[in-house]
Amino acid sequence: MTDTYPDQAFAKHDHRHCIKAALREAARICRERNGRLTEQRQRVLELVWKSHKPVGAYVILEQLRADGFNGAPPTVYRALDFLLEHGLIHRIESLNAYTGCAHPGEQHSGQFLICSHCQRVAELDDLKVKKAIRNSAALHGFKADHQVIEIRGLCPQCQDH
Amino acid sequence: MTDTYPDQAFAKHDHRHCIKAALREAARICRERNGRLTEQRQRVLELVWKSHKPVGAYVILEQLRADGFNGAPPTVYRALDFLLEHGLIHRIESLNAYTGCAHPGEQHSGQFLICSHCQRVAELDDLKVKKAIRNSAALHGFKADHQVIEIRGLCPQCQDH
DNA sequence: CCGGGGTTGTTATACTATAACATAACGAAT
DNA sequence: ATTCGTTATGTTATAGTATAACAACCCCGG
């Protein structure tokens, strides 16, 4: 696999479908691993997916509250931690924000294209990039373990502004 | 140029030399550009370089204070911003910390190997990685502008633990 | 029914960063 | 040397991000 969603990344699509698929996948993965996808965790996952761009923990918190839930930051962070551990979401380091994982379950560290204009993010998993990095690290005797790759720029739709 | 400091990255070396060289380089670059390398900025740059691992803004602040300076966060952040703008330091997104730039002046976005054990960081500028990423982005019609690449793992010295 | 692991509630606090406005230092032009 | 605009710094307050610590709860297996 070089690229999982070659074009879909920034393309228009029915996002409700994504959300549903993500929830279904999450349920499956958690069942497999005996992870408990509780009501809270599911709600947080849904909120992450609902946004078409990465969301901060406190935005999620606000939305939970708007939804009648009266919680505090730790609740949200715990849910996020759980989802991160199980590979259901990613954290975008350069934004302090979280985004749904495009192909959960498989072990992978994401590579992200982040549009500086519309804030949308596409997740890649390019083998060549991964290899180039692994080689480069190996050259220095470095044993790579996890990679944070976040590319800023303009997505196709935003290049004419 | 593929790699600038092939082995030196994690190798032992007289770090005082690095600091001096960095300060000298910084002075030269600022002179060239009419940037003012003030006392404060120089002190901050020195503190960043003095640490062999990335330092947080508040650690720098502490050290400035220990040094008789009675300042507040904005002072430090302003100095850091200046140094970042002029390519004299880098920000490590995944650590919220700052580290001296190994080859200032040249335009480049760093690639970093970050040791999870000793926290030291090596800066690379691997052409193959850069190209792989540029290609990958291009495949998606994405116009890349800046790349954040931070690889976690174990440096040569820390792999036996 | 009991017990124990995992989950959530709750309060407080640490850590990271910036807004906004006042003052001071610098440097080019007169 | 004086003036003036620009850039840099001081200062206070606050926004934004994340975790520590402990109590209460719940689910499920024995």
Side-chain angles (χ1 to χ4, degrees):
Chain A
M1 167 186 63
T2 65
D3 285 325
T4 346
Y5 295 110
D7 298 302
Q8 235 153 303
F10 288 113
K12 285 175 191 158
H13 60 280
D14 184 349
H15 195 59
R16 287 167 307 179
H17 173 69
C18 299
I19 302 174
K20 276 202 177 174
L23 290 175
R24 205 165 39 228
E25 268 298 277
R28 188 181 60 72
I29 288 165
C30 288
R31 207 176 316 120
E32 270 179 15
R33 308 191 182 187
N34 286 323
R36 285 163 61 185
L37 187 60
T38 61
E39 189 58 24
Q40 298 250 29
R41 289 165 174 173
Q42 192 169 323
R43 273 197 287 177
V44 170
L45 180 58
E46 197 171 347
L47 288 172
V48 168
W49 269 101
K50 240 174 190 160
S51 169
H52 56 278
K53 53 187 192 188
V55 278
Y58 281 74
V59 170
I60 294 173
L61 182 56
E62 261 176 48
Q63 291 184 248
L64 284 176
R65 281 177 171 158
D67 203 34
F69 165 85
N70 211 330
T75 307
V76 173
Y77 281 103
R78 283 167 184 153
L80 291 171
D81 285 345
F82 174 89
L83 297 170
L84 284 168
E85 261 170 35
H86 292 273
L88 301 173
I89 62 173
H90 289 290
R91 173 177 162 82
I92 308 292
E93 296 292 344
S94 60
L95 295 175
N96 296 328
Y98 305 83
T99 195
C101 172
H103 25 83
E106 313 160 30
Q107 223 41 35
H108 69 284
S109 42
Q111 305 164 355
F112 303 95
L113 305 178
I114 306 171
C115 181
S116 307
H117 186 258
C118 70
Q119 266 67 259
R120 284 188 302 165
V121 167
E123 178 179 350
L124 312 182
D125 192 15
D126 189 301
L127 235 196
K128 283 180 193 161
V129 169
K130 215 187 282 184
K131 272 190 184 162
I133 286 177
R134 209 180 308 133
N135 284 341
S136 183
L139 258 178
H140 295 264
F142 188 88
K143 199 171 172 188
D145 163 64
H146 178 78
Q147 32 185 52
V148 173
I149 301 180
E150 302 176 5
I151 318 298
R152 302 303 273 273
L154 292 176
C155 76
Q157 279 81 57
C158 291
Q159 285 173 26
D160 316 321
H161 303 305
Chain B
M1 168 186 64
T2 64
D3 283 325
T4 346
Y5 294 110
D7 297 305
Q8 236 153 302
F10 288 112
K12 285 177 190 157
H13 60 279
D14 184 350
H15 195 61
R16 287 168 306 180
H17 172 69
C18 297
I19 302 174
K20 276 200 174 174
L23 289 174
R24 207 167 34 230
E25 269 298 278
R28 187 181 62 70
I29 287 166
C30 288
R31 207 176 316 119
E32 270 179 13
R33 307 190 181 188
N34 287 321
R36 285 164 59 185
L37 187 59
T38 62
E39 190 59 25
Q40 298 249 28
R41 289 165 175 173
Q42 193 170 320
R43 274 197 286 177
V44 171
L45 180 59
E46 198 171 346
L47 289 173
V48 168
W49 269 99
K50 239 173 193 163
S51 168
H52 55 276
K53 53 187 190 186
V55 278
Y58 281 74
V59 171
I60 294 173
L61 182 56
E62 260 176 50
Q63 291 185 247
L64 284 176
R65 281 178 171 156
D67 202 34
F69 165 86
N70 210 330
T75 306
V76 174
Y77 281 103
R78 282 166 184 155
L80 291 172
D81 285 344
F82 173 89
L83 298 170
L84 283 168
E85 263 170 35
H86 288 81
L88 302 171
I89 61 174
H90 289 290
R91 174 178 161 79
I92 308 291
E93 297 292 343
S94 59
L95 296 176
N96 295 329
Y98 305 83
T99 194
C101 172
H103 24 84
E106 313 162 28
Q107 225 40 38
H108 69 284
S109 42
Q111 304 164 356
F112 303 96
L113 304 179
I114 307 170
C115 180
S116 307
H117 186 260
C118 70
Q119 265 68 260
R120 284 189 303 165
V121 167
E123 177 179 351
L124 311 182
D125 193 15
D126 189 300
L127 237 197
K128 283 180 194 160
V129 170
K130 215 188 282 186
K131 272 190 184 162
I133 286 177
R134 208 181 308 133
N135 284 340
S136 183
L139 259 179
H140 296 265
F142 189 87
K143 199 172 174 187
D145 164 64
H146 178 79
Q147 32 184 56
V148 173
I149 301 181
E150 303 176 6
I151 318 297
R152 302 303 275 272
L154 292 177
C155 77
Q157 278 81 56
C158 292
Q159 285 173 26
D160 316 320
H161 304 305

